[in-house]
Amino acid sequence: MFKVAIDGPSGAGKSTISKVIAGRLGFTYIDTGAMYRAAALFCVRKCVDIKNEPEKATELVKSITIDLKNSENGTIVFLNGENVTDLIRTPEISLGASNVSAIPEVRVVLVEKQREMGNRVNVIMDGRDIGTCVLPDADVKIFLTASSEARAKRRYAELCEKGEKVTFDEVLADMKKRDHNDSTRKASPLKPAEDSITIDTTELDFNESVNVIYNTICERLEK
Ligand code: DC
C-alpha cells in the first residue's frame, strides 16, 4: 500500500488539497480531524466537560463508532451511523475537538482506528501526527504550513461565504489559540516529522499548492 501523510496547522489547506490529490491518484482520503470532531460532538451531546472530565470523555469515545465515506462532495462523517458532516464544523465543536485531541487515551483509541484504515488501501491521510505517530512508515510525509495571517484570511473568506458573522480578528485569534493548543499539548503535539518535506503555501494559490504537492508525491511513486 502507498501511504501519504499530510500534517500541518489548521487552515493550511490540508483537507481541500488532499481531497483533490486523492481524486487524481485514485487514493482514499482520510480526514483524521473529522474523527476528533465527531468524538467531541458526542461528548458535547452527553454534556461531558471535556477539559475537566477526561476519563468520562475517554469512555464515551471508546463506545462510539465513527465512519468516513468519500463522496463527490467530500467526506461524509457518520457518528454511530448518523450523518454529522455539517454538525462537526461549528466553532464550539472546533474547540471541543482541540480539547478532546489533547487527551492521550482518546488519541490511542482513534490512532488505532486510523492505522487500520491506513493499512487497507492506498491513502492520503491528513492530520497533525500522521507522519510522526499514525503512519511513521508513510511513503511521503508532507508538512503543509502557511503564515497565521494567510491561514486566517482563507478561513475568514470561507466563513463569510457561508454567511457567518465573524470578524477577521476573531478568526485570527481563534487560529492562534488552536495553533498554540495543538503544538504545546503533551500528547503528539503538532510538529514536522524528521523525514517530512515542509511546503509553505503563504505565497501560493490553491492550484499552485496542489501542483507542488502532487508533483512531490508522483516523484516518490515513480521510484
Ligand atoms: O483538522 P481539524 O481542524 O479538523 O482538526 C480538529 C482538531 O483535532 C484540531 O484541534 C487538531 C486535532 N487533530 C489532532 O490532534 N490530530 C489529528 N490527527 C487531527 C486533528
Side-chain angles (χ1 to χ4, degrees), residues 135-147:
L135 304 175
D137 60 338
D139 300 275
V140 184
K141 296 182 186 180
I142 290 169
F143 192 79
L144 192 65
T145 188
S147 70

Side-chain angles (χ1 to χ4, degrees), residues 57-195:
T58 305
E59 282 316 303
L60 288 182
V61 175
K62 281 184 182 164
S63 76
I64 56 179
T65 59
I66 301 170
D67 293 300
L68 306 179
K69 236 189 197 159
N70 284 321
S71 80
E72 270 184 20
N73 301 321
T75 303
I76 307 177
V77 185
F78 294 93
L79 168 63
N80 291 335
E82 174 194 352
N83 182 344
V84 295
T85 311
D86 294 330
L87 298 176
I88 59 170
R89 298 289 160 195
T90 65
E92 184 192 13
I93 299 303
S94 295
L95 189 61
S98 183
N99 290 334
V100 91
S101 71
I103 304 173
E105 294 78 10
V106 165
R107 301 198 72 84
V108 171
V109 177
L110 295 187
V111 165
E112 195 185 316
K113 246 181 161 317
Q114 292 156 8
R115 286 200 183 122
E116 235 174 70
M117 292 168 157
N119 285 321
R120 259 189 268 142
V121 281
N122 293 330
V123 287
I124 297 193
M125 191 179 283
D126 89 27
R128 304 294 188 286
D129 60 340
I130 310 305
T132 52
C133 169
V134 181
L135 304 175
D137 60 338
D139 300 275
V140 184
K141 296 182 186 180
I142 290 169
F143 192 79
L144 192 65
T145 188
S147 70
S148 45
E149 282 73 18
R151 290 182 286 119
K153 223 165 143 182
R154 294 174 195 159
R155 183 55 55 84
Y156 177 64
E158 268 171 34
L159 292 171
C160 288
E161 203 166 294
K162 279 195 204 159
E164 304 224 0
K165 300 244 175 310
V166 283
T167 66
F168 174 75
D169 287 345
E170 282 166 355
V171 176
L172 181 61
D174 177 61
M175 190 77 73
K176 286 186 171 167
K177 185 169 176 199
R178 287 217 280 150
D179 284 357
H180 179 78
N181 278 356
D182 294 344
S183 52
T184 57
R185 68 174 181 228
K186 287 206 186 79
S188 304
L190 169 68
K191 65 166 191 226
E194 270 174 22
D195 48 351

